Amino acid sequence: MFATLGRWCARRPKRVVAAWILLLLGLAAAVGVLGSATSETVSIPGSDSQAAHDAARAFSDPASGRQPLVLHTPAGGLPLTSDRAREAVQETARALAGRDHVVAVTTPYEPAGAAALAPDGHTAYLTVELDLAGRDITADVVRDLRSATGAAEAAGIEVTPGGNLAEAADKKSTRRSEAIGLLAAFAVLCLAFRKPIAAAVPLAIAVVGLGISLAIIGLTGHVTDMPSSGATIAAMIGLGVGIDYSLFCLTRFRELRATGSPIEDAAALTTGASGKAVAFAGTAVIAALAGLALGGLPLLRALALAPGIAVLVAMAATLTLLPALLALLGRRLAPAPPAPGAEASPQAAAARGWARVARRVADRPWRHLLAGLAFFVLPALAAAQLSFGQLDGGDKSPGTAGRTAYDRLATAFGPGVNGPLQVTDTLAEPASGPADPAVTAVGRALKDTGGVAEVGPAQLSRDGRTVRWHVTPATAPGDPGTAALVERLRADTLPPVTRDTGQEAHVGGVPAIQLDLNDRLAQRLPAVIGVVLAVAGLLLLAAFRSPLVAVKAVVLNLLSVAAAYGVLTALFQWGWGAEPLGLGGPVPIPGYVPLLMFAVLFGLSMDYEVFLLSAVREAWLASGENRDAVVTGLARTGRIITSAALIMVCVFLGYLLWDDPVVKMFGIGLATAVALDATVVRGLLVPATMVLLGKANWWLPQWLDRLLPQMHIEGGEEDLVRTSSAPEPVRNA
């Protein structure tokens, strides 16, 4: 089937290339018309914070539409209480009110905004109410608002967007990171192939796949909530696998051309052999990501869907667009034949080098096994200290709008102002007003709770059945004390007041949402990990028909994941790499980062495992000698696996230029795991364990042999030639 697909595309290369270009242009046009939608909304069905969010719908002013613009003058400068500052701020408010999407602007000089002026007189904020939800606030909206602040800035008042406005202002294009990754990949490919045209083919496949997948993800955001980090992670993974998959196939094509295979046959055989392995490896990545659906969270599903789309598009491009390009450029891609008496090619020299490594490992397997395991001791110990935390604006890179607004508000009003809690109370009977005893009892209990800095006035919905309070904690949003306050309000403060009256009180707000999110992730973590491990093991068992090989691969993949977790713990949670990474200090790790990284890393590790074990199994089936098969398999694939891993690492590290700590976490974690997986795991641990296990590697009970399907990931070129090289039947007119 794969060989037939490859031959069909190779026979119609211009049509296939044109179809992909039209698809890319069509999706780009759709994004240009509809826009690329993202949303940072976190929905946690069944949680207390979700109940508070749902109850707040009784009010006409959604929280996402009320955004702050922070006003600040330096100490010794013009006080915001002066007549000149007051006039400039009010003129700015009038200018803002005339902008698109602005419903109302509240200044700190009005009774409704009096609390927005700090006691020092040098910091305040305007509240801009928009008719946009958080997902619809874009950088263009922020620029339009900033253009209306000229009067305030002329008076020496610094204006900084906060909230969703800051997120939109700080959002950068991924183009710089992607360009760095592509340039690094081109350099590695040039060293591997010694031909720029050959190096450009995987990049072309990856760029086309990246453009299509990002367009699909952007359009998907109109249907379901898609966080902006989802598209970034998808770009990171899609670019890496797109280059790697094409690299594996292009290497096989060049090998076939070097043996004299015609271009069309070589393209078909490449798709039938290496293309089939790509399909299997990509399916493994998508299956691992699908395991995140057990998390029961829309956020996890979105974060799994985005890279899943990118991997699927990369697979499709490798199986169809690549054979078309191979047919068009085939004569220019083949390696030049060595001159008589000339030294071996760099590829042959690299193969000999990996053969020497493989023989050394095979000669002393125990020594290399223990040495390889020693690499993972310290990272594993650090990973054991990993804990879930909550990010806030104070964890963003210094100099960003979000960090500047956070620091100024925290200094002037206290750290809790950046993460207020929203307490809602649904009454059994409509309240007569804010002075209703059922309302005042809850407000008094909130004020008396330890850790509460301020409680805003009670707000009643139009029907009088729902009451809302904005509660300012005494601690920062990401501080453990704020999480403790949320738990105290839910367990100790609200139940005694509302239990006997039939009232339903809930605690929401960003800190409460983050707490509920981490709790839900901790509950579902064992199930998700178990499913991902089971899926990976079953796929490997079906592919290589060996229980020991499948179990061994799963265990060794866990080492790579543990190493990534350990590096995250040290660099972010402990803050060892805060300054080089552009962070102000230790940064908490959100619970969804390790969970998503686990699924992604298991899928990516399967890629290298499939390509290595395919070569080992092929050699074992040919010779029946386990040790020789291990040496041959590593010698054949060592260079290509390390080249692919180096490209992946370069792509991932390119995203460290982002200001978002979450993106930095994924970049560092994925790069660490891939680097160790392709070198220590595949170069030392896998061959050492396979040599030690001997023929037990290929033991398969008869009853299991009858149940498993017959799958051959690579090999079988003779059968492919017989089934795919026949000319197409002549169709009647």
Side-chain angles (χ1 to χ4, degrees), residues 422-510:
Q422 181 174 262
V423 177
T424 60
D425 186 10
T426 303
L427 306 176
E429 299 291 338
S432 57
D436 190 287
V439 176
T440 57
V442 176
R444 189 164 48 249
L446 293 174
K447 293 178 181 178
D448 294 339
T449 303
V452 172
E454 184 181 356
V455 178
Q459 300 173 333
L460 281 174
S461 61
R462 291 182 178 179
D463 61 4
R465 296 292 298 270
T466 305
V467 193
R468 178 177 64 181
W469 295 266
H470 291 288
V471 178
T472 303
T475 49
D479 192 294
T482 303
L485 172 61
V486 173
E487 294 176 340
R488 191 158 54 249
L489 289 172
R490 290 172 174 173
D492 302 328
T493 300
L494 296 175
V497 183
T498 60
R499 183 184 301 116
D500 299 331
T501 59
Q503 299 171 228
E504 293 185 12
H506 304 284
V507 182
V510 173

Side-chain angles (χ1 to χ4, degrees), residues 48-71:
D48 191 66
S49 58
Q50 186 65 42
H53 178 271
D54 294 340
R57 292 176 179 172
F59 297 88
S60 59
D61 57 335
S64 60
R66 304 174 71 243
Q67 303 295 329
L69 283 177
V70 181
L71 311 174

Side-chain angles (χ1 to χ4, degrees), residues 336-602:
E343 294 184 2
S345 65
Q347 291 85 352
R352 286 202 304 271
W354 275 103
R356 286 194 296 271
V357 171
R359 283 193 292 269
R360 288 198 190 100
V361 174
D363 290 340
R364 298 177 179 84
W366 277 111
R367 177 185 299 182
H368 289 88
L369 177 63
L370 295 176
L373 291 174
F375 273 91
F376 296 95
V377 173
L378 290 179
L381 292 176
Q385 306 299 317
L386 175 66
S387 61
F388 296 167
Q390 301 180 29
L391 287 170
D392 56 34
D395 297 315
K396 295 185 177 181
S397 298
T400 59
R403 177 65 179 272
T404 302
Y406 179 96
D407 289 342
R408 287 176 176 174
L409 290 175
T411 301
F413 297 96
V417 72
N418 287 293
L421 301 175
Q422 181 174 262
V423 177
T424 60
D425 186 10
T426 303
L427 306 176
E429 299 291 338
S432 57
D436 190 287
V439 176
T440 57
V442 176
R444 189 164 48 249
L446 293 174
K447 293 178 181 178
D448 294 339
T449 303
V452 172
E454 184 181 356
V455 178
Q459 300 173 333
L460 281 174
S461 61
R462 291 182 178 179
D463 61 4
R465 296 292 298 270
T466 305
V467 193
R468 178 177 64 181
W469 295 266
H470 291 288
V471 178
T472 303
T475 49
D479 192 294
T482 303
L485 172 61
V486 173
E487 294 176 340
R488 191 158 54 249
L489 289 172
R490 290 172 174 173
D492 302 328
T493 300
L494 296 175
V497 183
T498 60
R499 183 184 301 116
D500 299 331
T501 59
Q503 299 171 228
E504 293 185 12
H506 304 284
V507 182
V510 173
I513 292 172
Q514 294 292 338
L515 175 64
D516 291 342
L517 176 63
N518 286 338
D519 288 345
R520 181 69 60 85
L521 291 173
Q523 294 170 5
R524 302 294 179 90
L525 185 62
V528 173
I529 289 178
V531 168
V532 172
L533 293 178
V535 168
L538 289 174
L539 286 173
L540 289 171
L541 176 61
F544 300 109
R545 307 180 68 78
S546 169
L548 284 178
V549 165
V551 172
K552 171 187 62 63
V554 169
V555 172
L556 294 182
N557 287 352
L558 285 173
L559 293 178
S560 301
V561 176
Y565 285 0
V567 170
L568 287 185
T569 302
L571 296 183
F572 293 92
Q573 186 174 310
W574 297 346
W576 289 3
E579 186 173 349
L581 290 173
L583 301 173
V587 174
I589 300 173
Y592 65 86
V593 171
L595 195 59
L596 180 60
M597 192 176 294
F598 180 86
V600 171
L601 287 177
F602 241 81

